[in-house]
Amino acid sequence: MKFLFKLFIVLSFHFGLKAQNVDFKSSNFKTDKEGFKKAEAAIEQGNVYFDKGTKLLFEVKDVKGNFHFALKSYEIAQAFNPSNALLNFKIGACYFNNLNYDKALTFLLKAKELDPNCDPFLNYYLGRMSQLEGKLEEALSYYTKFTVEYKKATEFTKFIDQRKKECENAKKLMTSPLRVWVDNVPELNSDKDDITPTISVDGGDMLFSSKRKNEHLMDSIGEYDFEIYSSTMEKGNWSAPKKLIGDINTNVDDVVNTISYDGTMLLMHRSVNNQSDIFESKLLGANWSTPEKMNANISNPKYNDRFACYNHTGYKIYFIRDNEEAENGYQAVYSGMESKLRRDYATTTFLDVLNSKFNEGPMYITIKGDVLYLASQGHGSMGGYDIFISKFVQGQWTAPVNLGYPINSPYDDFFYSPTVNGKFAYITSNRPGGAGGYDIYKVTYWGADKTPIVSTEDFLISSVLQPVNDNAIESKVDVTRKFLTVFKGNTIDLLNSQPVGATIEITDNATGKVIETFKSNSATGKFIITLPSGKNYGIAVKAENYLFHSENFDLPDGGEDNIVSKTIQLKNVAVGNTITLTNIFFDLGKATLRMESNAELDRLVKLLNDAPKLKIEIAGHTDNTGSAAMNENLSQQRAIAVVAYLLSKGINSTRLTAKGYGSKRPIASNETEVGRQQNRRTEFKITSNS
Amino acid sequence: MKKTLLFSLLSLLVGNYFAQVETLSLKEKAFKDSIAQINEAANASAEGKEAYNRGISLFSEKKTLDAIKEFEKAIVSDPKFLAAYFNKGVAENELGMYLASASTLNKLISIDSTYNKAYFQRARAFQGLNEFDAAEKNYEKALVFDPNNVKVIYNYGVLRFMQKEYKDAIIKFSKCIQIDPTSAYYYNDRGSCYRMLGDLPKALVEYEEATKRNSNLAFVYNNIGTTKKKMKDYPGAILAFNKAISVDSKFHMAYVNRGATYFTQGKNNEAEKDFNQAIQIAPNYSPAYANLASILIAKKDFQKALENADIAISIDKYNSTAYLNRGIAKEMLRDMKGACEDWFKAKELGVELGKNYFTTNCNN
């Protein structure tokens, strides 16, 4: 139930919104007959202008203010009855011809909604709107529909054919757009028409015309007259436009056409009471002179003459001309002069190749004279005025070629003013996105198509990837530290400490070799030498009448504490003195003398030889390790071994005795290893010295 | 008192004693000091040698910078430590510190001009410094000492290649081949000489010889590919790049080159895939971004093209392709000033098209 109710509401709403065509019949407005009469009268008045405008339109004439006036009347009727299809169509058509396309579309669509058959030209205008929107296929179908459905369509074949061609041209041109940017120039444009941006050849100065608000009165359709403004390029932007002072601007339309190449003259046209003529002004100092109307061959009262330009020689003026009899609207003509002094411009010549069946527009000839830019509604336009290019080849202008999209668009695009280097140009267009009305646009050419590049890379040389480097370095070296230690000392008498001059031998115990032999000072007993550090040495000292002295010592490693001092106390060779032979070595637990003992024993041999009267007892001692008997026997055997060595060296046996004391005569404690080592010793005792 | 007495007694019994001298005569002190100096010198020498040995260990561990520091210590300890100079020079070369290496080896050769190995190393250093004449002299000197040293001859050949003396380089590489005909490298490099001389077919023959000697060298296939691309044999080039990639799937350069070949063939999708693959493998490989920018320009994605060219230039400020492409992207993004600056840079880097674009678009 609820669903049905909702459906009812939706359908009611839908059908309620569906607009219905309300004819202007008195029966439809019984309650407001007065209003109806006024509306009907307004329509009637509007139709007069509308029909006049339409006639002019299809005669390729200036529609003047007809559609504006028609619109004013129609709006009265529209306020009374907004639901009449035909009125909506006509209002849409007025807006279209007044170049207000947004509003045109609204009313045309409304008309179509109310009654698509309200007027055969509805399809034509809808086609125009679709064309402007770039919906080219849709536009084509509207034009076809117009042709099919309108009995008198053949009378408009010229226009329908042109519109269809425009659609085809647009399709073609839009598929290969030019390499340009077309940018609105906001600093120059107003919400009114801003047209004819003519620039100096260096592109630094510009004159243009604008319908922006000025001090004059508005005309009957609410517009100000065209005035000429100037602007200068400053740091890449155009300066704020300034209206030219002097008589160049009047209270009628003053439209600048072109500046001469040297910038000293300009051409302009003025329109007074629908009659336009061409004028020329000269630059006097900073101001432009009062414009002078060109002679009657150029500014002819029978014609409308406008949009003039100089040719490159300065002897010709190109412009467009129109009159009531002309079938194809404004046509391109030129007039030449024989003398620049007399300025005797001759009869005009029509530029047949440049002229189409529709209006031609402003022209511009390059400074070289080889290229002419022309605006035209005909030729290969893609809609409205387009800009075309023609070249001067073998004394003739070539057929105009559309300059291309997006310089041209389905809207009006005209007036082409290039810089001398051809990189920039200024045009006028009413394409969407502008400030309002016609605007000035800057065309920037990108130049030739630019191709991005790719690069390849190689390792052409193997060594980049696989370096062939000889990075073999030198080998390691042995590191040895050979430090020296200062070995100093003195030899003194043990008993009285008097210096004793003695002979000293230093033996490297590791090699058994005597490495130094020297004498201590006889007066002071001092000696000083250097020895390699970190070794064990034997020192043997002997002096006459003193017992031979020997001992071992270590010199510390390193070079920091590099001095060792030693005082050697020598014993007089007195009977009863006992001397320990510290460098006598036996095999462990045996009485076998080891080789390292030879140096010490040889010194004893020498002592005995040196002191031939000396008789000694060789005494062997042990520590208390083991049995006393064993120790006694070992010490006895070791004493005998020493005696045997001495005998082997030629010492008389009468001078020698051997005695083993075992552990009976310790000189140190047997409780410690150090003590036991000291107790294990070989001594000799002087038993006689006479 | 008791202690003194005992010490005297012990002294008498022992008969002698050692002691550190506490007071020395002036002469003794002078003598001691002179010996101390000798010891210090000996110590320093030993420490220098230890540093040198440590340097060798570090070098073998590839800690080359640390090795250089140790060799320097050795030199400070012993300014005539020739081996330390040599090793330092070699290590500096290894790190591309060519200026330092040349200086080190200059000192070594000034101390001992017969230290023949130093000339080869000094040649390497000068080559690295692009001082080709000096490098050449040192290679010549090294060859005086050892005329058949293939490493010296090869590096000399590379030097001649870099000097664009391709014919002489061919002679050097041919000598290398004579000494060691099994090496693929010498054939590759000789092929590259022919390529640079414009004899592309002969270059291909040499590259093929290289692949016969070692079929696992991706860069040789890459060279074949780029040579075939130059010969406009695009299918052949693609095959060669495929081979390079099959040998080394991470060989980013082959992807970029294959992509460039696809781009030349108008196969932009394949090209884009390859450039992206190269970027994935080697995110710091500038040409991949520069080439990708080309594809994006072709696709009219100028903003992304600009971003990729930016990356390419941030990685390699001499990437001329990136400048040219960035100029195009900037132009299309309405930054004409920037475009002109980039085309000028491309022109300066030798890109003919950059010169063309700059001249025709940027000179008012």
Side-chain angles (χ1 to χ4, degrees):
Chain A
M1 187 64 188
K2 269 186 179 176
F3 171 75
L4 288 174
F5 177 73
K6 276 185 181 173
L7 183 64
F8 173 76
I9 294 294
V10 168
L11 290 173
S12 302
F13 189 66
H14 174 73
F15 288 115
L17 281 181
K18 175 79 177 169
Q20 280 186 318
N21 185 24
V22 179
D23 285 333
F24 276 95
K25 288 182 192 170
S26 58
S27 56
N28 286 338
F29 305 99
K30 286 175 185 167
T31 57
D32 188 3
K33 289 184 179 175
E34 196 59 33
F36 171 69
K37 276 183 185 173
K38 280 183 186 173
E40 210 173 27
I43 289 172
E44 202 172 320
Q45 191 180 6
N47 284 345
V48 173
Y49 290 114
F50 186 85
D51 293 344
K52 200 172 172 186
T54 301
K55 184 170 178 288
L56 289 168
L57 184 70
F58 288 107
E59 285 175 351
V60 198
K61 296 278 188 302
D62 187 350
V63 297
K64 298 171 184 167
N66 286 301
F67 288 108
H68 283 284
F69 301 134
L71 183 60
K72 270 190 178 178
S73 297
Y74 288 149
E75 278 173 341
I76 295 167
Q78 181 74 359
F80 179 75
N81 174 17
S83 299
N84 180 263
L86 186 60
L87 182 59
N88 275 282
F89 156 71
K90 286 184 175 177
I91 291 173
C94 286
Y95 275 123
F96 185 91
N97 288 302
N98 291 338
L99 311 182
N100 191 338
Y101 300 119
D102 288 344
K103 283 194 172 175
L105 184 62
T106 306
F107 286 95
L108 292 171
L109 289 176
K110 181 85 184 287
K112 186 187 175 191
E113 188 188 359
L114 292 167
D115 179 7
N117 299 314
C118 63
D119 190 289
F121 279 88
L122 177 60
N123 286 322
Y124 176 79
Y125 279 104
L126 285 170
R128 295 300 312 267
M129 282 310 308
S130 298
Q131 202 178 331
L132 291 176
E133 289 180 294
K135 299 171 183 172
L136 301 171
E137 294 301 333
E138 190 177 278
L140 285 167
S141 75
Y142 276 123
Y143 296 139
T144 303
K145 206 171 176 190
F146 172 78
T147 311
V148 170
E149 292 180 2
Y150 185 39
K151 287 178 185 172
K152 296 181 182 175
T154 50
E155 293 175 21
F156 300 93
T157 304
K158 170 182 168 182
F159 297 92
I160 295 299
D161 284 354
Q162 176 65 13
R163 298 289 94 84
K164 284 182 176 176
K165 267 190 214 168
E166 285 168 0
C167 291
E168 297 303 333
N169 291 335
K171 278 198 263 182
K172 205 181 293 176
L173 293 167
M174 288 167 92
T175 54
S176 52
L178 296 173
R179 292 175 50 77
V180 296
W181 288 299
V182 180
D183 298 310
N184 192 287
V185 189
E187 61 267 35
L188 297 177
N189 292 318
S190 67
D191 59 348
K192 306 298 178 191
D193 289 344
D194 302 285
I195 62 169
T196 63
T198 176
I199 56 170
S200 56
V201 287
D202 65 354
D205 296 292
M206 178 188 284
L207 297 179
F208 68 98
S209 295
S210 175
K211 276 191 173 179
R212 66 191 61 192
K213 187 178 179 184
N214 60 40
E215 70 279 13
H216 304 144
L217 293 172
M218 287 190 288
D219 62 14
S220 55
I221 57 170
E223 291 182 349
Y224 290 98
D225 59 315
F226 273 116
E227 299 277 67
I228 303 173
Y229 292 81
S230 71
S231 179
T232 307
M233 179 64 83
E234 291 171 359
K235 294 179 183 174
N237 289 310
W238 291 104
S239 63
K242 287 181 185 168
K243 194 164 84 166
L244 294 188
I245 56 171
D247 296 334
I248 196 162
N249 279 318
T250 63
N251 60 356
V252 298
D253 282 337
D254 301 295
V255 178
V256 65
N257 293 174
T258 190
I259 308 175
S260 63
Y261 305 107
D262 62 3
T264 60
M265 294 191 295
L266 65 78
L267 292 169
M268 58 179 286
H269 68 256
R270 276 183 179 157
S271 300
V272 182
N273 298 327
N274 294 322
Q275 167 66 38
S276 60
D277 291 307
I278 294 168
F279 291 72
E280 190 172 44
S281 173
K282 290 176 185 167
L283 186 64
L284 302 175
N287 298 321
W288 293 93
S289 67
T290 302
E292 288 179 19
K293 191 189 280 189
M294 304 299 288
N295 77 12
N297 285 322
I298 293 178
S299 289
N300 193 309
K302 293 180 183 172
Y303 299 98
N304 282 315
D305 300 300
R306 54 174 66 175
F307 293 120
C309 72
Y310 298 103
N311 82 335
H312 66 297
T313 63
Y315 277 90
K316 288 178 184 171
I317 287 181
Y318 285 61
F319 58 100
I320 55 172
R321 164 168 284 182
D322 181 30
N323 75 353
E324 293 299 319
E325 285 78 38
E327 291 180 359
N328 297 326
Y330 281 95
Q331 299 289 282
V333 297
Y334 75 85
S335 171
M337 63 179 168
E338 286 188 1
S339 164
K340 282 192 177 180
L341 284 174
R342 294 196 301 275
R343 302 190 72 71
D344 50 351
Y345 287 101
T347 316
T348 53
T349 304
F350 277 79
L351 291 156
D352 292 339
V353 71
L354 300 183
N355 289 319
S356 67
K357 292 178 180 175
F358 298 88
N359 286 312
E360 315 308 331
M363 287 177 280
Y364 177 83
I365 297 172
T366 58
I367 196 166
K368 285 185 184 173
D370 56 344
V371 173
L372 180 145
Y373 295 95
L374 163 80
S376 174
Q377 290 179 324
H379 300 299
S381 168
M382 60 188 290
Y385 279 103
D386 273 3
I387 299 164
F388 293 82
I389 185 170
S390 172
K391 292 179 180 172
F392 199 67
V393 179
Q394 294 177 340
Q396 289 186 325
W397 292 107
T398 58
V401 174
N402 193 303
L403 205 51
Y405 172 82
I407 293 176
N408 290 319
S409 70
Y411 291 82
D412 286 335
D413 308 290
F414 60 93
F415 201 92
Y416 188 85
S417 181
T419 57
V420 75
N421 61 14
K423 283 181 190 166
F424 306 103
Y426 290 87
I427 63 168
T428 303
S429 176
N430 64 345
R431 65 188 63 193
Y438 285 104
D439 274 0
I440 296 167
Y441 286 82
K442 181 182 181 183
V443 176
T444 305
Y445 284 88
W446 307 345
D449 195 11
K450 293 177 187 72
T451 315
I453 57 171
V454 291
S455 57
T456 57
E457 284 211 335
D458 314 88
F459 290 129
L460 290 180
I461 291 298
S462 312
S463 56
V464 176
L465 265 185
Q466 306 281 343
V468 183
N469 294 328
D470 191 351
N471 56 3
I473 55 174
E474 300 288 20
S475 314
K476 288 187 177 181
V477 293
D478 290 331
V479 182
T480 52
R481 284 183 162 79
K482 290 185 178 175
F483 298 113
L484 295 175
T485 299
V486 176
F487 180 52
K488 74 176 283 284
N490 58 349
T491 48
I492 58 170
D493 186 292
L494 174 66
L495 294 176
N496 58 20
S497 297
Q498 289 301 305
V500 176
T503 300
I504 300 169
E505 278 184 0
I506 303 292
T507 304
D508 180 347
N509 284 337
T511 62
K513 287 183 181 172
V514 175
I515 57 169
E516 291 282 353
T517 302
F518 55 92
K519 289 185 175 177
S520 61
N521 188 290
S522 60
T524 63
K526 288 184 177 179
F527 64 86
I528 184 165
I529 60 167
T530 58
L531 292 171
S533 308
K535 287 191 169 187
N536 178 259
Y537 294 97
I539 181 168
V541 184
K542 64 181 182 183
E544 192 174 356
N545 293 322
Y546 282 88
L547 276 182
F548 163 77
H549 171 86
S550 72
E551 63 178 292
N552 291 335
F553 64 95
D554 289 316
L555 289 186
D557 203 358
E560 289 179 2
D561 298 323
N562 69 326
I563 185 161
V564 169
S565 181
K566 188 172 180 61
T567 297
I568 298 166
Q569 295 166 315
L570 296 172
K571 294 172 183 173
N572 258 324
V573 188
V575 174
N577 276 351
T578 299
I579 296 104
T580 302
L581 296 164
T582 51
N583 294 324
I584 300 292
F585 306 104
F586 294 97
D587 288 344
L588 183 66
K590 292 181 180 175
T592 311
L593 275 167
R594 287 166 60 177
M595 285 290 288
E596 298 95 292
S597 311
N598 291 356
E600 184 82 333
L601 289 170
D602 289 345
R603 282 192 287 271
L604 183 55
V605 170
K606 196 166 185 303
L607 174 69
L608 290 169
N609 286 334
D610 291 346
K613 290 177 183 175
L614 210 61
K615 289 182 180 175
I616 61 170
E617 175 195 88
I618 301 296
H621 300 274
T622 68
D623 59 23
N624 67 350
T625 309
S627 68
M630 190 188 75
N631 285 339
E632 228 167 90
N633 181 49
L634 180 61
S635 61
Q636 181 66 35
Q637 292 306 315
R638 285 181 171 175
I640 290 168
V642 172
V643 166
Y645 183 88
L646 297 173
L647 290 173
S648 74
K649 296 294 180 181
I651 305 300
N652 195 314
S653 62
T654 58
R655 300 172 65 192
L656 306 169
T657 55
K659 178 66 179 171
Y661 292 98
S663 58
K664 288 177 196 165
R665 295 184 180 181
I667 58 170
S669 168
N670 276 314
E671 295 302 311
T672 65
E673 179 52 39
V674 174
R676 286 195 292 274
Q677 192 176 359
Q678 288 175 1
N679 288 336
R680 294 191 297 270
R681 67 195 188 276
T682 303
E683 296 173 344
F684 72 92
K685 179 181 173 184
I686 299 169
T687 55
S688 171
N689 194 14
S690 60
Chain B
M1 185 68 185
K2 273 187 179 175
K3 277 186 179 172
T4 311
L5 193 64
L6 184 61
F7 180 74
S8 303
L9 196 61
L10 278 171
S11 296
L12 283 172
L13 286 172
V14 172
N16 56 67
Y17 63 89
F18 288 95
Q20 291 297 319
V21 174
E22 288 172 4
T23 54
L24 296 173
S25 69
L26 285 176
K27 278 188 179 175
E28 285 173 340
K29 190 169 184 311
F31 183 69
K32 176 183 176 285
D33 289 347
S34 70
I35 297 304
Q37 280 179 358
I38 292 169
N39 283 348
E40 275 176 26
N43 192 42
S45 170
E47 283 179 357
K49 286 176 181 171
E50 282 171 350
Y52 168 84
N53 287 347
R54 277 198 304 276
I56 291 170
S57 299
L58 288 165
F59 185 80
S60 68
E61 292 166 22
K62 306 280 182 205
K63 296 174 180 170
T64 313
L65 198 59
D66 293 333
I68 290 169
K69 288 177 188 166
E70 295 299 331
F71 293 138
E72 182 61 37
K73 283 182 198 169
I75 291 168
V76 170
S77 296
D78 180 2
K80 292 193 173 175
F81 198 165
L82 300 182
Y85 282 105
F86 179 76
N87 288 358
K88 181 168 175 268
V90 172
E92 286 164 340
N93 269 343
E94 285 297 293
L95 287 185
M97 300 162 62
Y98 299 119
L99 194 62
S101 177
S103 169
T104 303
L105 296 163
N106 282 345
K107 281 180 199 158
L108 167 54
I109 290 168
S110 71
I111 298 167
D112 181 3
S113 62
T114 64
Y115 206 107
N116 57 5
K117 288 191 288 186
Y119 289 101
F120 174 61
Q121 291 299 334
R122 193 164 68 169
R124 278 183 65 195
F126 282 129
Q127 193 164 337
L129 291 169
N130 290 333
E131 292 183 26
F132 295 150
D133 288 346
E136 201 177 327
K137 281 177 192 162
N138 279 274
Y139 281 130
E140 291 286 3
K141 190 84 180 173
L143 285 173
V144 169
F145 288 110
D146 188 359
N148 286 319
N149 186 325
V150 75
K151 288 180 181 173
V152 177
I153 299 166
Y154 175 75
N155 275 19
Y156 196 3
V158 172
L159 173 69
R160 300 303 277 159
F161 184 92
M162 289 165 75
Q163 290 173 298
K164 301 189 193 311
E165 296 288 348
Y166 303 117
K167 286 181 182 169
D168 195 35
I170 287 171
I171 294 169
K172 301 282 185 293
F173 294 137
S174 297
K175 181 79 188 284
C176 292
I177 290 168
Q178 196 184 329
I179 295 167
D180 178 11
T182 64
S183 170
Y185 300 149
Y186 306 145
Y187 282 99
N188 176 79
D189 293 5
R190 191 164 69 177
S192 294
C193 292
Y194 286 120
R195 176 168 148 168
M196 297 310 288
L197 287 169
D199 192 345
L200 302 182
K202 208 161 185 178
L204 281 179
V205 170
E206 295 288 340
Y207 291 141
E208 296 292 352
E209 284 296 324
T211 60
K212 283 178 195 166
R213 277 151 187 82
N214 187 343
S215 59
N216 290 315
L217 296 175
F219 74 95
V220 180
Y221 292 110
N222 185 62
N223 287 343
I224 291 172
T226 51
T227 306
K228 286 190 172 177
K229 183 174 180 289
K230 275 180 186 293
M231 296 166 81
K232 300 194 189 304
D233 174 9
Y234 302 126
I238 297 284
L239 280 177
F241 295 132
N242 288 345
K243 183 72 182 170
I245 290 164
S246 74
V247 170
D248 179 1
S249 63
K250 300 286 180 194
F251 191 31
H252 55 279
M253 195 179 277
Y255 286 101
V256 163
N257 292 340
R258 190 173 68 180
T261 311
Y262 281 135
F263 180 78
T264 310
Q265 291 180 300
K267 296 176 179 174
N268 288 359
N269 289 337
E270 287 92 333
E272 186 175 10
K273 210 182 287 177
D274 272 349
F275 297 146
N276 279 319
Q277 182 69 24
I279 288 168
Q280 206 176 333
I281 295 167
N284 286 318
Y285 187 51
S286 176
Y289 294 99
N291 286 0
L292 184 57
S294 295
I295 299 290
L296 294 165
I297 287 168
K299 287 185 162 185
K300 303 205 181 303
D301 190 346
F302 302 113
Q303 185 56 43
K304 276 193 180 167
L306 174 73
E307 287 164 13
N308 277 276
D310 276 343
I311 296 171
I313 290 165
S314 72
I315 296 167
D316 175 10
K317 63 178 179 178
Y318 300 111
N319 189 330
S320 56
T321 301
Y323 282 110
L324 185 112
N325 289 342
R326 192 170 71 172
I328 296 171
K330 280 183 177 174
E331 183 193 33
M332 301 313 292
L333 292 168
R334 309 297 304 268
D335 176 11
M336 202 60 206
K337 186 169 173 276
C340 287
E341 284 169 0
D342 277 349
W343 288 330
F344 183 77
K345 188 77 184 171
K347 173 191 152 191
E348 277 192 329
L349 291 170
V351 181
E352 195 58 32
L353 213 47
K355 185 181 171 187
N356 179 12
Y357 292 169
F358 181 78
T359 309
T360 54
N361 295 277
C362 304
N363 290 327
N364 291 318

